[in-house]
Amino acid sequence: MAEKASPSSNSISLKTVDGKIFKVSPAIANQMLTIQPLIKDSDSSTIISLPDVAAFHLTKIIEYLEGKPAAAPSAVDAFEAQFVKDLSPEELKGLLIAVGYLKVNGLVDLMANTVAKLIENKSVEYVRKFFGVVNDFTPAEEAKCRQEHAWAFDGVDED
Amino acid sequence: MASTVEESTDLLNEILVRLPLKSLLRFKCVSKRWLSHISTSYFTRSHTLHHYTPFPSHIVHNYIPNDTYNSSFLTMPCSTENTDPSNPFTADFNFLNVPLQQHTYIEQSCNGILLIQGSDEPNSYYVCNPVTKQFLALDLSPPTYPNHTGQEVFLSFDPLRSPHYKLIAIRYKRDSLSSPLHGILGPNNNTYFTFEISIYSSKTACWSGFGVSIPAEENTLHEYGIYCNGAVYWCNKSEKCLYFDVEKLCFKSFPMPQRGQIEDEQVSYIGHSGGHLHIIIEQSNILLFDIFELQEDSSSWLLKFHVDLQGLFDNSLGLFEESFDILCLFCQEKEEDLVLVLVTGYQIILYNILDRTYKRLIDFNPSLSRFVRALADSGCAFEFSKNLSWDGDSSYRLASTESFDPSRLHYLDS
């Protein structure tokens, strides 16, 4: 995962799957639990490769870690609401996978909450399409499953 | 390493655990993997704990008709937000596959799990989660224990303490013969209650039993017991009442409010909410009453509220004082908020004791007057918290209390 780069500063270099290199401070990098052990052993010349994380996702993750207010919960709520506001469902999903892979402090909760809110009132078909799930029920099995909890299918949003 | 959410069980779990119940029941149909994930006891437990509040989400109430109609029950939300007063919120017991449903009714509600008495056999009981429709059928025919005067069954389930539930079957008889405790208790006590207690644990799926004798006092146990927060309480008008601590397996005494100076007809409600036992005692007339709450150590009662409903009733609004009944008293999200569920006229209303306001929960069609009357006559309602909790893999397993072996009788300090 790690390769050598030219020594420059105290920052950590992270390389995304689409080939972009980001320099971040150790304080920021340490909040990505997955790469923590690599940081300990690395010097300023090390480049840590992040498969599964695109430049767009890493930009957002750094924006979150650098911008999150330290104190008042109400300020955090407002910041987090703003952070996810303009993300499309596809971007949300991709970012969730990236933060899930990097195990980013606090951001897994925020992304899982946001995705849960997004699908909460959606249909079974929407959810299958959104997550790319193959329906492996036979039509009879699915009908039985739907009939068992028929009330749960009322008041579902349009896809 | 996962490149989709579907491939990562951890991420899928992070999302699912945050979803409300209704979404999860729907998403059981997404795929077999989702169905099995949502059904595992690990997931149902973490979901229950994630969404846990000590306050009920619903009130369940029996409807026991006197004729050939099947029994059913109401599941009413605890808040009138987004509800339609014309929705009677009825539910049935069909999922239990009880052959005869005329006299099937809810005996107890405990943190999302119900104890139901069936009518197919004299001692048939069901433990169930009505949301997931999982259940356990039990035959609690009293084993070979002669002359017992009654059997009561209680359900104990607290998801904060354990994923498993317990059933407590208590049988007792009055005994005037000399008891093995005779010498210890003193010569003046020559009447005893001998209890036989059997406890079923869903963890081990088996029963264990023991017996205990304690001196009987006048009026002891002439009322039904009520389970609240780890103990079974028998309230009656005697000065010292009895309760059974399910964890410590011992009997202790507790007082009644007003030092037992109350008449039966003054007690208009005994129930529990948010882990507290409540008793409502009428003063001078039925619209003036005191609400007492048993203190945590069961040593005394706290007068929570003095309630005056005299200004509430207005015939033009369909609030009739002459057909007024208290169905339930429950604690609401806001601390110190107590809400009464009242049936009056053709309506069920929620009355907030603190701010003295009421909201219409159900407005029955006047043609259902017989139904509304039967509701008022069906005893008290129970608080209920919808969740996915269930412990056990087979829904059709039949359990029975093991035969009581008198040689295993041992005596506990009362």
Side-chain angles (χ1 to χ4, degrees), chain A residues 2 4 11-12 37-48:
Chain A
K4 294 282 172 189
S11 64
I12 311 285
L38 301 172
I39 298 168
K40 247 191 303 178
D41 304 332
S42 66
D43 53 42
S44 53
S45 63
T46 311
I47 294 177
I48 298 171

Side-chain angles (χ1 to χ4, degrees), chain B residues 45-59:
Chain B
R45 178 156 173 80
S46 53
H47 186 267
T48 302
L49 295 178
H50 194 95
H51 297 263
Y52 181 86
T53 84
F55 309 102
S57 64
H58 288 73
I59 299 298

Side-chain angles (χ1 to χ4, degrees), chain A residues 60 81-88 91:
Chain A
K60 287 298 283 183
Q82 187 62 35
F83 180 79
V84 296
K85 203 182 77 174
D86 295 324
L87 292 170
S88 71
E91 288 168 341

Side-chain angles (χ1 to χ4, degrees), chain A residues 52 109 120 128 136 152 154, chain B residues 2 18 22-23 26 29 32:
Chain A
D52 262 8
D109 279 340
E120 183 176 305
R128 280 184 194 138
D136 52 0
D154 290 344
Chain B
R18 289 168 164 82
K22 189 178 174 184
S23 312
R26 187 165 69 246
C29 301
K32 286 180 177 170

Side-chain angles (χ1 to χ4, degrees), chain B residues 128-390:
Chain B
C128 69
N129 181 328
V131 173
T132 61
K133 300 183 178 176
Q134 289 163 297
F135 67 95
L136 171 69
L138 302 122
D139 170 22
L140 294 183
S141 301
T144 53
Y145 185 57
N147 306 327
H148 65 89
T149 52
Q151 165 173 276
E152 291 188 76
V153 182
F154 303 96
L155 167 68
S156 164
F157 174 60
D158 181 353
L160 292 186
R161 286 188 189 172
S162 160
H164 313 293
Y165 62 86
K166 281 180 186 165
L167 286 169
I168 303 108
I170 301 183
R171 301 174 194 113
Y172 49 89
K173 62 171 180 172
R174 199 184 268 270
D175 231 336
S176 56
L177 301 170
S178 66
S179 148
L181 284 188
H182 190 76
I184 305 166
L185 295 167
N188 295 334
N189 279 305
N190 50 16
T191 318
Y192 298 88
F193 275 116
T194 304
F195 290 88
E196 179 217 328
I197 295 158
S198 304
I199 296 182
Y200 173 88
S201 157
S202 68
K203 185 180 182 183
T204 56
C206 61
W207 290 88
S208 59
F210 67 91
V212 58
S213 272
I214 56 167
E217 284 177 31
E218 202 53 38
N219 290 322
T220 314
L221 296 184
H222 81 291
E223 288 287 345
Y224 291 108
I226 183 158
Y227 177 88
C228 173
N229 198 19
V232 178
Y233 295 87
W234 287 273
C235 296
N236 60 56
K237 60 183 176 185
S238 68
E239 224 162 284
K240 265 167 80 182
C241 302
L242 211 55
Y243 74 93
F244 176 67
D245 186 321
V246 176
E247 286 303 313
K248 297 191 181 117
L249 301 176
C250 63
F251 283 92
K252 287 178 185 162
S253 63
F254 72 103
M256 280 294 275
Q258 301 183 340
R259 292 206 203 101
Q261 303 296 308
I262 41 169
E263 295 302 321
D264 284 347
E265 53 276 13
Q266 278 180 272
V267 177
S268 47
Y269 174 84
I270 302 175
H272 66 94
S273 181
H276 295 288
L277 195 64
H278 294 117
I279 191 159
I280 296 181
I281 297 175
E282 281 172 21
Q283 312 293 337
S284 65
N285 84 55
I286 60 160
L287 300 178
L288 283 174
F289 47 83
D290 290 338
I291 298 174
F292 292 92
E293 184 178 287
L294 189 63
Q295 302 276 49
E296 214 138 286
D297 63 359
S298 303
S299 67
S300 61
W301 294 79
L302 183 73
L303 173 61
K304 289 281 281 190
F305 289 103
H306 178 73
V307 182
D308 180 356
L309 290 184
Q310 291 176 111
L312 176 70
F313 294 91
D314 181 343
N315 289 2
S316 65
L317 296 173
L319 303 170
F320 303 104
E321 171 183 338
E322 54 272 22
S323 63
F324 142 83
D325 264 295
I326 298 171
L327 292 186
C328 189
L329 173 72
F330 69 87
C331 306
Q332 218 177 27
E333 204 102 27
K334 254 188 338 190
E335 218 172 309
E336 294 292 302
D337 251 14
L338 277 178
V339 178
L340 281 167
V341 185
L342 304 173
V343 52
T344 166
Y346 303 115
Q347 306 176 34
I348 290 182
I349 60 170
L350 300 180
Y351 179 79
N352 186 311
I353 291 166
L354 204 65
D355 58 23
R356 300 182 185 188
T357 56
Y358 77 91
K359 282 174 185 153
R360 217 164 285 221
L361 186 61
I362 311 181
D363 217 340
F364 292 104
N365 187 310
S367 66
L368 294 171
S369 62
R370 219 163 45 98
F371 178 79
V372 181
R373 222 40 255 156
L375 278 183
D377 295 339
S378 299
C380 293
F382 307 95
E383 66 168 21
F384 180 71
S385 305
K386 278 194 176 180
N387 63 45
L388 290 172
S389 292
W390 186 248

